[in-house]
Amino acid sequence: MTPSAIDVTQPAETSAAASSTPLPKIGFVSLGCPKNLVDSEVMMGLLHHAGAELTPNADQADIIVVNTCSFIDSAKQESVNTILEMVGHKIANGGRAQKLIVAGCLVERYRDEIRKNIPEVDAVIGTGELDAVLAAAGFAPRQIPSPFTILTSTGSAKAHTHDHAHIAENSPTALDVELAPENLSEAALIDRAPSAVKKHSQIEVAQTTSRPEGDLRERQGRFSRDQWDGATAALPEYLYDDTTPRILTTPRASAYIKIAEGCDHPCGFCIIPQLRGKFRSRRISSVVAEAESLLKQGVREITLIGQDTTCYGEDLGLKDGLAMLLEALATLEVPNVGKIHWLRFLYAYPNKVTTRLLETIAAHDNIAKYLDVPLQHASPTALKRMKRGGSGAIFLKMIEKARSIVPGIVLRTSFIVGFPGETAEEFDELESFIKQARIDWLGVFTYSDEEGAAAFDLGDKVPKRTIEARRRRLMRTQQKISTTARSEWIGREVEVLVEGVSEETDLLWQGRTSLHAPEIDGKVLINDFGPHETLVPGTFYRCEITESHDYDVVARILE
């Protein structure tokens, strides 16, 4: 469809719901973060199992779904532009596209405005309404019972019984826990789980509830969206699970697993809590079951995602829940398949990086020595205005601790420049911190004034020219740090997951080490295949780093 479209290979088998009537062809465009991508994969799975055929070509689609992002201004503009581009497919090509469905974060924020200003949009679906894509696409909404575990306002979990005939073939189902009748006890469910889950059975008996911080923030109005025209009164509450139909769109060897949804933090620049709801964790049995299924499908690299994965399990009454989950996944072994080859998680909150979490990363060879912890700033006064807390000094101690417990760990972070009231002195503190911390991978974002975020009402806005100048200055500083750090890689022997021909030139191939997260870090460029005539994408090779650049390195294949 477009560069942002999902290119999907249609599964070989179709649902029992399919009939002799022509299947509607449905195309998807997914914008924004990996969490959004998983939502798109869930909607695709639901539609496929209801009998739809998927296509990567907009001009062949009868129905087009655009899953939008609304995090910052540039993301909103990209979402609007993409919607308008897809509107063209309802007008052009003889009107092949009969329906246009808009989903995701932009809908939560601008539901009525989308309907009013873009009348060609036939249906809108919020972040907590993914199963509504069935009715929007013309399938009976009750053909497949809701696949989501719904958290009620009292904190109890409402289970849904699934129709095995509809979801058994291609969905990631490896455990009967979530399919069991409601009257089965938690203990009985655990007894039916894989051994990796049984070792952590205390997780399964915890009562689903909310984090105390989330309850406090709710009383303080953190999740209020009363001023959002058209926003539904109820916050999103769904959690997909291991039985939810899902079609992977990532390269065959890699996949994301969303282990939690929502966020309770009070960050003044962010509206994600209003868009996604309160923080809520999936059960460990569900995550392990999904991982087991992915391994059986050929996935070797799994990246756990959530708005804040380090809060995982706190709503289930757990301490160090993420460490417990990592332990269960790192030791998971599937007969005739083996273990997860690379396992990592995104994203960590600074004060949630515990000793046990770091020790768990260090203890398992298949957990990537990689920590993505968005710090946002280093000046304590700026962080206080951001409603984040912390300081550069505190962060340096955390980094020192991480590097001590996990030798060779790679750190990634992001910063915001130009937050309201940011002074030259605060910016200098941030730059000084970057020089001291020597972060491996670093992103710098310019502040985006978002209506509905606490910072929107702050005065003393920083001029855009100043913000951009500060961003460029920090990136120049980081470039020097990165150039030095990458030069130290020369001569190393590393394992590389080969992805395919380089995006820059057909003369090179590219890949990643376990110290590179998918799509966001530098690349390993391969100019020498060694003993191989050609390389196979999705395969791990032993390489030697021979050259370095600012952010990328060059390697030759050894074996």
Side-chain angles (χ1 to χ4, degrees), residues 26 43 47 63-65 98-103 122-125 129-141:
I26 303 181
M43 287 189 284
L47 288 164
I63 301 169
I64 298 174
V65 182
Q98 299 299 307
K99 287 185 178 181
L100 175 59
I101 301 168
V102 176
D122 297 285
V124 290
I125 300 169
E129 305 167 321
L130 300 191
D131 50 349
V133 73
L134 293 170
F139 295 91

Side-chain angles (χ1 to χ4, degrees), residues 33-35 37-38 41 240 246 248 250-251 253-260 282 287 290-291 294-295 299-306 309 322 325-326 329 340-348 366-368 370-372 412 497 499 512-521:
C33 63
K35 298 182 290 294
L37 180 63
V38 171
E41 292 175 342
Y240 91 99
R246 179 182 170 196
L248 296 183
T250 46
S254 302
Y256 295 103
I257 295 181
K258 191 190 293 191
I259 65 172
R282 288 175 59 184
V287 177
E290 184 174 9
L294 291 173
L295 285 172
V299 170
R300 293 296 174 265
E301 175 190 36
I302 290 178
T303 301
L304 308 179
I305 55 173
T309 52
L322 179 59
L325 177 61
L326 288 170
L329 291 171
I340 299 170
H341 200 75
W342 287 351
L343 174 65
R344 70 169 59 79
F345 61 93
L346 310 173
Y347 311 84
N366 59 347
I367 299 181
Y370 182 101
L371 183 64
D372 187 329
R412 177 177 181 82
L497 174 60
E499 297 176 315
R512 296 180 288 108
T513 71
S514 64
L515 306 180
H516 298 79
E519 299 184 343
I520 58 176
D521 297 324

Side-chain angles (χ1 to χ4, degrees), residues 210-211 213-215 217 222-223 262-266 273 277-279:
S210 300
R211 297 175 64 241
E213 181 181 350
D215 295 336
R217 301 303 176 202
R222 175 65 174 117
F223 303 97
C263 183
D264 297 336
H265 294 307
K278 295 172 72 174
F279 183 87

